[in-house]
Amino acid sequence: MITFDGVSKIYRDGTPALEDITATIQPKEFVSIVGHSGAGKTTLLKMLLAQEKPTSGTVMFQDVDVHALPNSALHHYRRKIGMVFQDFRLIPNKTAYENIAFAMEAAGRHDDEIASDVPYILNLVDLSTKANHFPNQLSGGEQQRVAIGRAIINQPDVIIADEPTGNLDPINTYEVVEILKKVNELGTTVIITTHNKGVVDAMGKRVITMDRGRIVRDDPQGQYIL
Ligand code: ADP
């Protein structure tokens, strides 16, 4: 589904960020990308999102060369990918319900779809009772679960979560990991970057370890080893 083929990236200022990355991610996989700060994890995700172009190599998504897409097609392409960020990025003056509904409105979905899908997703992320709470009335873990709800509401093929538990305590981390596992079990490919050994070890899924722009390990049922 996703193939990085010989991808290298040297930023304009001469910084090397990726060196000859080759990896394939299959539909419905759960992949953790680990590595020290500066290893190239975020750059790799940016390649997939077509936010940065590779210096050499190709990134294919469902047989489409992502970096050959015209600008006019990028918006449509990025809808296949749901994003979750370390800092949640919710709209502060919208409730949990409205934050998720807003993503559907932005995608041009009809009111009746919104009225049926948002409660379903709120239930999936275990927040039915907090639908009318604003972000500042929710714990960090709850805010991240709203963000996951927003990321999946338009049924993307893949969820990318960049350090999703980076700002969370262990209990909230556990809750967020459980939701990501559930989303994956329902059929969505999940790619996360993380520094959290506990998250990776609890998952028992594929672990790609990066170091200085290279993949140094790729374990089908890996553990966090740095
Ligand atoms: P990670 O996500 O693993 O911390 P990054 O992909 O952010 O790693 O960074 C990889 C390398 O690329 C680092 O040396 C970083 O300083 C550099 N880098 C990242 N973004 C840029 C940029 N926009 N311009 C120049 N160098 C960058």
Side-chain angles (χ1 to χ4, degrees):
M1 173 173 158
I2 296 166
T3 304
F4 297 94
D5 188 8
V7 174
S8 295
K9 174 67 179 178
I10 301 171
Y11 280 107
R12 228 167 284 148
D13 65 0
T15 308
L18 297 176
E19 229 182 299
D20 198 20
I21 298 287
T22 294
T24 298
I25 296 172
Q26 303 293 347
K28 303 185 183 183
E29 267 199 274
F30 194 120
V31 183
S32 303
I33 303 176
V34 304
H36 294 297
S37 185
K41 305 179 296 294
T42 305
T43 303
L44 191 65
L45 299 183
K46 285 183 175 169
M47 295 286 137
L48 186 56
L49 288 159
Q51 290 173 344
E52 291 283 353
K53 274 196 185 303
T55 308
S56 57
T58 51
V59 182
M60 306 290 286
F61 189 105
Q62 295 167 342
D63 299 326
V64 172
D65 180 344
V66 170
H67 296 277
L69 288 171
N71 277 343
S72 57
L74 281 180
H75 188 62
H76 178 75
Y77 164 67
R78 291 191 182 120
R79 288 230 181 109
K80 295 173 186 285
I81 303 173
M83 282 298 300
V84 176
F85 304 95
Q86 178 171 356
D87 55 359
F88 321 135
R89 301 198 192 175
L90 299 176
I91 302 170
N93 60 355
K94 288 189 187 289
T95 63
Y97 182 101
E98 290 165 347
N99 264 281
I100 297 173
F102 187 67
M104 293 187 79
E105 289 160 18
R109 306 274 296 274
H110 293 294
D111 287 352
D112 52 345
E113 283 180 292
I114 295 174
S116 72
D117 288 7
V118 177
Y120 170 79
I121 291 294
L122 279 167
N123 183 44
L124 184 79
V125 298
D126 278 340
L127 284 173
S128 295
T129 58
K130 307 236 164 136
N132 298 321
H133 288 222
F134 291 93
N136 67 4
Q137 299 171 313
L138 297 169
S139 72
E142 288 168 342
Q143 290 182 61
Q144 193 60 298
R145 278 147 53 197
V146 176
I148 294 169
R150 176 182 60 185
I152 60 176
I153 191 79
N154 290 318
Q155 296 158 12
D157 297 314
V158 50
I159 294 284
I160 294 180
D162 196 3
E163 290 282 354
T165 64
N167 285 348
L168 303 179
D169 64 25
I171 291 174
N172 281 303
T173 293
Y174 173 79
E175 289 172 3
V176 163
V177 167
E178 287 303 303
I179 298 293
L180 286 171
K181 276 164 82 170
K182 188 150 88 172
V183 168
N184 177 243
E185 278 157 17
L186 290 171
T188 307
T189 308
V190 178
I191 304 173
I192 70 167
T193 68
T194 184
H195 279 99
N196 190 320
K197 176 172 165 43
V199 167
V200 171
D201 293 350
M203 210 70 73
K205 304 269 188 179
R206 181 175 176 192
V207 181
I208 292 177
T209 307
M210 295 186 67
D211 183 34
R212 281 167 283 184
R214 288 183 171 272
I215 293 178
V216 292
R217 295 176 68 97
D218 188 345
D219 299 317
Q221 285 188 317
Q223 296 230 316
Y224 190 99
I225 305 166
L226 275 182

